[in-house]
Amino acid sequence: QVQLVESGGGLVQAGDSLRLSCAASGRSFGEYALGWFRRAPGKERERVAAISWSGTTTYYADSVKGRFTASTDNAKNMVYLQMNSIKPEDTGDYYCAARRTTEQQYESWGQGTQVTVSS
């Protein structure tokens, strides 16, 4: 299984930028795809972005499209979520997750990092 550790969350103001990082370890990651999920206060967890380990395939939720960018650094076993033009509704706990490319379910999850956006 893949182990994931997120970092980079914090308190920011609307309009700011923030980069979340996810350190991956434990497996050969070529067979995995990565996702960034968000759980906002009072809401269900949603997937905001996904990326193949090669970085060639990405997905973004409509709520973040054009503002968030996911990327990978294969040499460092890192996954990133660049968040630009942050909005108060981006507030939440952000999780990095991994799934085998042959599966739909994400099997590995990080502990999460909190992002709070003030208006």
Side-chain angles (χ1 to χ4, degrees), residues 96-112:
C96 177
R99 64 173 178 87
R100 298 177 191 270
T101 55
T102 55
E103 303 292 336
Q104 294 296 317
Q105 294 293 323
Y106 285 83
E107 64 179 45
S108 300
W109 294 82
Q111 83 289 349

Side-chain angles (χ1 to χ4, degrees), residues 5-9 19-23 36 78-81 96 113:
V5 178
E6 303 94 334
S7 61
R19 189 177 79 162
L20 305 184
S21 299
C22 174
W36 284 99
M78 295 293 294
V79 187
Y80 303 102
L81 185 67
C96 177
T113 186

